[in-house]
Amino acid sequence: MNLDPEADRAWDEATRESDRDDWTRPGSRRPFGVLRAIANVRDDELETLGRAGLFVFSLLAANYLIRPIRDEMGVAGGPKHLPALFAGTLAAMLLVWPLLSSWLGRRAGRSSLGPILRAQQVMLLAFFGAFQLVPAEGFAWTARLFFVWASVTNLLIVSLAWGSLAGRFTSDQARRLFGLIAAGGTLGAIAGSALAGVLGRYAGPSPLMLPAVVFLEIGLRAGRRTTATTRLSRPDVDPEAEASSLRPQARGGLYLACLGLWTLLFTTTSAFVYLEQARIVEASIHDPAVRTALFARIDLLVNVFGLVMQVVLTAWILKKLGVGGAAAMLPAVTLVGMIALSLRPTVATVQWFQVARRAMDYAVARPSREVFYTVVPSRELMRAKGLIDTAVYRAGDAAGAWAYGLLAAAPGMSRAAPTAVVALSVVWFALSLGLGRAMKRRVACNRERNYSA
């Protein structure tokens, strides 16, 4: 990743020019003053923004209806089998991904969301029928199969959804709009969780699959209209790479590898933080009901703070700090929080560290991570992003969990886990800044090539 001052100046000038155009375009009606003040949303972007928000809202609502079913099926399949189910999830991703990647490559230039969402709906209906008909002796195996399937597909669908948006928006549009679109996803997560809580109490887990199918249908229709109406011209992408049939390794391999490393560091540190949280909470709170209430309170605070930040601060942070600086905020929070947790390992520290870290992830790091993909050619985007957001993501979870367990079990290494997170966070922070500068350089070079073409 070359760090080029000329690229920085070109990026800043392009951003200022785009902002001036947004506010001075003749005939601008400015009917939504709040959106303009927050994210400088243009009149011709309002409809697309609404559809994209509905798209992500619907998919996340379906996701959060399926998640409690998956968790219940993990328990129904036998808690002692959960480690094997996690390993099975990673193995399933590694087996499925090469086939899916090949299929995505053959569909270059055509949307892949329709067939995938349709397959998700069919499988949900099939599992719903299976849970009504399967005999008692086969229920545990069906539950385990559902756990692995849901763990793979939920992550994959959210990844491909954001990938489709990254492939249709320019980097400037993504910088301004992705925070608001992510807010739609947060609202969907809240709606799905609330609906699951109400329906699950009275109807049980498997009927939750039916409203999930409905939300997937709404998301599919909104997604089709979003990708059909957003700008297809991508001035931030190398025109030769966009048209080339070369494999991803031949173009932009280092950039994509660094995006994969970013995700690996994120999930590895997340596993460390999660397990350290579990250790402290278990040692401090012995009543399961009180622990459940604590986790529910953390989830509520994360969603509230995350939503407020997505609506009010995300676009401003991305504009002021740039994409790399915004992405670096999550490793910075992780570093500071882990130091605080090491010095003061209390439940209160756990609560506020988790709230700050997860809210920062949802509101700032996730949109920043998706903006990074806006400069990746379409032929590479879906395959590379899908691989990173599924197999690499789960590999980081597994690596972090195993590494934490080994460090915690080693004599005299009780403080090694927090120290490891601090060291990884420093590398992660530097990588975020480097990716931001590499993206600026790509945008400057690719725009120059597109304009001269």
Side-chain angles (χ1 to χ4, degrees), residues 27 51 80 127 135 195 200 223 225 265 351 398:
R51 288 174 177 169
K80 66 180 181 180
F127 272 114
L195 185 59
R225 299 189 70 182
L265 289 169
Q351 173 177 299

Side-chain angles (χ1 to χ4, degrees), residues 267-332:
T267 53
T268 301
T269 56
S270 295
F272 270 83
V273 172
Y274 180 83
L275 293 170
E276 187 72 0
Q277 166 193 279
R279 182 187 68 80
I280 293 172
V281 170
E282 182 183 30
S284 304
I285 302 175
H286 304 292
D287 187 340
V290 176
R291 289 199 297 264
T292 302
L294 170 67
F295 296 142
R297 184 165 64 249
I298 290 174
D299 287 341
L300 176 62
L301 290 171
V302 167
N303 282 320
V304 170
F305 284 116
L307 181 61
V308 171
M309 291 177 65
Q310 285 166 340
V311 173
V312 178
L313 293 177
T314 300
W316 181 84
I317 290 172
L318 283 165
K319 180 179 180 180
K320 294 298 181 182
L321 298 184
V323 184
M329 292 181 69
L330 183 58

Side-chain angles (χ1 to χ4, degrees), residues 15-100:
T15 300
R16 287 194 297 271
E17 188 64 33
S18 174
D19 291 342
R20 286 196 296 270
D21 290 345
D22 293 340
W23 286 95
T24 61
R25 183 170 51 83
S28 177
R29 294 178 286 111
R30 302 187 183 182
F32 294 87
V34 175
L35 291 179
R36 292 190 173 282
I38 292 173
N40 190 15
V41 180
R42 301 183 329 201
D43 290 343
D44 60 352
E45 293 171 337
L46 289 171
E47 184 177 0
T48 297
L49 175 62
R51 288 174 177 169
L54 177 61
F55 174 45
V56 178
F57 172 93
S58 302
L59 295 189
L60 266 294
N63 187 311
Y64 275 78
L65 279 164
I66 295 171
R67 284 177 61 150
I69 310 173
R70 181 202 64 181
D71 294 340
E72 168 57 25
M73 294 307 166
V75 174
K80 66 180 181 180
H81 296 292
L82 281 175
L85 291 179
F86 281 113
T89 298
L90 177 59
M93 285 184 169
L94 294 176
L95 288 172
V96 168
W97 181 250
L99 299 176
L100 183 59

Side-chain angles (χ1 to χ4, degrees), residues 1 15 25 61 74 142 163 173 175 190 224 300 304:
M1 293 182 296
T15 300
R25 183 170 51 83
T142 307
Q173 287 176 315
R175 178 179 57 82
I190 294 172
R224 282 175 172 171
L300 176 62
V304 170

Side-chain angles (χ1 to χ4, degrees), residues 16-226:
R16 287 194 297 271
E17 188 64 33
S18 174
D19 291 342
R20 286 196 296 270
D21 290 345
D22 293 340
W23 286 95
T24 61
R25 183 170 51 83
S28 177
R29 294 178 286 111
R30 302 187 183 182
F32 294 87
V34 175
L35 291 179
R36 292 190 173 282
I38 292 173
N40 190 15
V41 180
R42 301 183 329 201
D43 290 343
D44 60 352
E45 293 171 337
L46 289 171
E47 184 177 0
T48 297
L49 175 62
R51 288 174 177 169
L54 177 61
F55 174 45
V56 178
F57 172 93
S58 302
L59 295 189
L60 266 294
N63 187 311
Y64 275 78
L65 279 164
I66 295 171
R67 284 177 61 150
I69 310 173
R70 181 202 64 181
D71 294 340
E72 168 57 25
M73 294 307 166
V75 174
K80 66 180 181 180
H81 296 292
L82 281 175
L85 291 179
F86 281 113
T89 298
L90 177 59
M93 285 184 169
L94 294 176
L95 288 172
V96 168
W97 181 250
L99 299 176
L100 183 59
S101 177
S102 176
W103 178 76
L104 288 171
R106 291 195 300 271
R107 291 184 62 85
R110 291 180 292 166
S111 173
S112 58
L113 276 177
I116 290 176
L117 291 180
R118 286 281 183 243
Q120 176 87 336
Q121 291 175 305
V122 170
M123 289 299 297
L124 280 172
L125 293 174
F127 272 114
F128 175 75
F131 284 122
Q132 312 310 312
L133 301 174
V134 69
E137 57 270 20
F139 187 88
W141 281 105
T142 307
R144 293 166 193 156
L145 182 62
F146 180 87
F147 182 96
V148 172
W149 172 82
S151 298
V152 171
T153 57
N154 271 7
L155 198 61
L156 178 65
I157 284 176
V158 173
S159 171
L160 293 180
W162 276 106
S164 69
L165 294 177
R168 299 293 178 170
F169 288 91
T170 66
S171 57
D172 172 66
Q173 287 176 315
R175 178 179 57 82
R176 292 183 291 107
L177 303 180
F178 273 14
L180 296 175
I181 295 173
T186 300
L187 289 173
I190 294 172
S193 298
L195 185 59
V198 173
L199 294 181
R201 178 177 301 176
Y202 298 103
S206 59
L208 297 179
M209 299 179 195
L210 301 180
V213 169
V214 175
F215 275 114
L216 287 172
E217 182 65 25
I218 296 171
L220 174 58
R221 294 176 182 272
R224 282 175 172 171
R225 299 189 70 182
T226 300

Side-chain angles (χ1 to χ4, degrees), residues 199-396:
L199 294 181
R201 178 177 301 176
Y202 298 103
S206 59
L208 297 179
M209 299 179 195
L210 301 180
V213 169
V214 175
F215 275 114
L216 287 172
E217 182 65 25
I218 296 171
L220 174 58
R221 294 176 182 272
R224 282 175 172 171
R225 299 189 70 182
T226 300
T227 55
T229 56
T230 47
R231 185 183 308 174
L232 297 181
S233 174
R234 303 181 69 199
D236 302 331
V237 177
D238 183 351
E240 295 181 7
E242 186 77 341
S244 174
S245 61
L246 293 178
R247 293 171 59 85
Q249 292 89 335
R251 292 181 180 270
L254 178 59
Y255 185 78
L256 291 172
C258 288
L259 285 173
L261 179 59
W262 196 100
T263 299
L264 188 67
L265 289 169
F266 165 60
T267 53
T268 301
T269 56
S270 295
F272 270 83
V273 172
Y274 180 83
L275 293 170
E276 187 72 0
Q277 166 193 279
R279 182 187 68 80
I280 293 172
V281 170
E282 182 183 30
S284 304
I285 302 175
H286 304 292
D287 187 340
V290 176
R291 289 199 297 264
T292 302
L294 170 67
F295 296 142
R297 184 165 64 249
I298 290 174
D299 287 341
L300 176 62
L301 290 171
V302 167
N303 282 320
V304 170
F305 284 116
L307 181 61
V308 171
M309 291 177 65
Q310 285 166 340
V311 173
V312 178
L313 293 177
T314 300
W316 181 84
I317 290 172
L318 283 165
K319 180 179 180 180
K320 294 298 181 182
L321 298 184
V323 184
M329 292 181 69
L330 183 58
V333 169
T334 302
L335 188 152
V336 173
M338 187 53 76
I339 292 175
L341 198 61
S342 179
L343 296 175
R344 189 176 176 84
T346 65
V347 171
T349 307
V350 165
Q351 173 177 299
W352 292 110
F353 176 29
Q354 281 285 52
V355 169
R357 188 179 192 271
R358 290 171 56 192
M360 184 65 68
D361 175 36
Y362 297 159
V364 179
R366 181 61 187 258
S368 301
R369 190 161 71 245
E370 303 306 334
V371 175
F372 282 138
Y373 285 100
T374 59
V375 299
V376 178
S378 300
R379 291 180 178 273
E380 302 177 20
L381 176 60
M382 301 303 283
R383 288 185 290 177
K385 181 171 170 51
L387 176 65
I388 290 170
D389 287 352
T390 56
V392 174
Y393 193 102
R394 291 304 185 196

